[in-house]
Amino acid sequence: MPFYQRLGEVPRKRHIQFRDNGTLLTEEVMGLEGFVGNESILYHLQSPCRVMKLGDFEEIEREEWVPDAHAHRLFNTYDVDPGGDEVTGRRLLMWNGDVEISLARPDEQMDYFFRNGEGDEVVFVHEGSGTVETNFGDVPYKDGDYVVIPRGTTYRFNTEGPQRYLVFETPGLIEIPRRYRNQYGQLLEGAPYYHRDIHPPTELHTHREKGEFPVKVRVRGGYQTYVLDYHPFDVVGWDGYLYPWTFSVHDFEPITGRIHQPPPSHQTFQGRNFVICSFCPRKLDFDELAVPIPYHHSNLQSEEMIYYVSGNFGSRKGVDVGSITLHPSGLPHGPQPGLAEKSIGVRETHELAVMCDTFHPLRLTEFARGIDDGTYAYSWFEEPGATGSDDDPAGVTSHL
Ligand SMILES: [Fe+2]
């Protein structure tokens, strides 16, 4: 999506003969928005329609949890057991019609290929490295990377070491915020990242093997398996604007101010009715009267989930690496008692967190219920006579 790329061999012009050892290749236009959105053109050894066998269709079932009370919530994900692979290991935490948010700690290698036929994906890699092998080529990744995989990409993860991801899937598009781009698509000087921070596929491998290759495709609310008699990475070359890419959260350049900057200054991606933001280590507000911790705010038209990646969250009771707070719509939220006072004079924060704000309510799953702290809603409550938190001000959570 970000800018024009080309890998492998493509013919001089679109839609002309292009051959491999005398055989006419199959040209596939893979595009969005009915031929007026971004697209790439791929050249295949085989027709991408070619299917040897239709396999099973497996419906995606969600176990919803409707809590008894509407309240702020805290989920502790860090000790969730590993399981499954990069697709089957996704454990849905919360969702609505615009986005599904899952935790994954895969410990199995995919023995099939996957394609999301009905949504874009962002895999935030909290821990782990490896390569996402795709029909566009290899996409290496490491800790801190957002791996952006547009719908229609066929892929398989090849992992190195333990893996821990936060996964977003959306029936809409994952885009770079419009306000970061000029009318030609170039990222503006004021944007918190630049094209050099965006990493497209590095190397294209054209596979010519024959055999039995299962491809699982997410479509119509389930997974349809197809068996191909050829390796699905049979692309000789491609070019265009649509391809998987990575962006490291560590390359996000924080925007700071003399007084507190609002959450949109941390925006990294825009989705359909949601945003993804990165809260990165940074200098804090520097006015001599600044309160560096956020003001209370009522997110009347959005739900806010924050995933804590690294840093010292000691000032928020129960919040640790891998924790998720959910501040649902209709309620105010803000720092716990005593923290605004304690934050005064704090000059920098070393916390790293990923936030997703949705503009429509999120539903929760039974998996979320199992890791719900259950007491977070009371963390602003002080018994009469209490003096507030005794926690270390250096760990003041700066972005809630
Ligand atoms: Fe907030």
Side-chain angles (χ1 to χ4, degrees), residues 297 304 333 400:
H297 44 287
E304 174 202 274
H333 65 274
L400 289 177

Side-chain angles (χ1 to χ4, degrees), residues 69-303:
H70 183 74
H72 297 315
R73 300 205 171 267
L74 168 66
F75 307 102
N76 291 310
T77 73
Y78 198 79
D79 293 327
V80 167
D81 289 334
D85 61 38
E86 290 71 21
V87 176
T88 61
R90 293 175 187 178
R91 274 164 281 187
L92 187 65
L93 280 159
M94 50 192 84
W95 88 99
N96 64 19
D98 300 310
V99 65
E100 298 170 11
I101 305 171
S102 307
L103 181 82
R105 297 193 64 199
D107 63 356
E108 296 169 15
Q109 291 279 335
M110 292 170 70
D111 58 1
Y112 59 94
F113 299 88
F114 180 71
R115 179 164 76 237
N116 195 326
E118 59 184 11
D120 284 7
E121 301 183 346
V122 176
V123 178
F124 174 73
V125 181
H126 185 171
E127 291 172 357
S129 60
T131 302
V132 188
E133 300 168 348
T134 83
N135 55 333
F136 292 91
D138 286 350
V139 181
Y141 68 89
K142 59 188 184 311
D143 291 10
D145 279 357
Y146 291 100
V147 183
V148 182
I149 308 175
R151 68 196 61 218
T153 304
T154 305
Y155 68 84
R156 179 172 68 178
F157 272 70
N158 188 359
T159 60
E160 288 163 26
Q163 311 280 313
R164 182 188 297 273
Y165 315 142
L166 186 68
V167 182
F168 302 90
E169 294 173 67
T170 173
L173 301 178
I174 293 293
E175 298 180 295
I176 292 173
R178 180 67 192 89
R179 69 179 191 280
Y180 293 170
R181 299 177 268 144
N182 68 17
Q183 62 179 312
Y184 306 103
Q186 186 169 15
L187 288 161
L188 297 168
E189 281 296 321
Y193 51 89
Y194 190 53
H195 298 275
R196 293 177 211 178
D197 301 318
I198 289 168
H199 306 286
T202 52
E203 231 181 311
L204 179 68
H205 303 284
T206 307
H207 288 263
R208 295 167 185 271
E209 301 99 285
K210 298 280 184 178
E212 288 198 11
F213 300 89
V215 180
K216 191 186 281 197
V217 182
R218 178 170 172 171
V219 66
R220 301 291 168 100
Y223 299 117
Q224 173 69 54
T225 297
Y226 302 90
V227 182
L228 313 185
D229 68 340
Y230 65 96
H231 196 296
F233 298 164
D234 69 338
V235 174
V236 169
W238 63 270
D239 74 340
Y241 278 64
L242 196 62
Y243 49 83
W245 49 282
T246 65
F247 168 71
S248 171
V249 73
H250 304 300
D251 284 331
F252 187 92
E253 299 303 330
I255 295 165
T256 59
R258 198 167 72 184
I259 55 173
H260 200 73
Q261 298 299 296
S265 64
H266 306 275
Q267 188 179 353
T268 310
F269 303 109
Q270 69 183 30
R272 185 182 81 183
N273 297 322
F274 70 95
V275 298
I276 297 174
C277 299
S278 306
F279 291 92
C280 298
R282 64 193 182 281
K283 298 287 184 192
L284 290 172
D285 321 334
F286 52 87
D287 188 273
E288 61 178 24
L289 291 178
V291 179
I293 207 166
Y295 37 85
H296 279 60
H297 44 287
S298 283
N299 42 336
L300 297 174
Q301 292 181 305
S302 63
E303 310 255 316

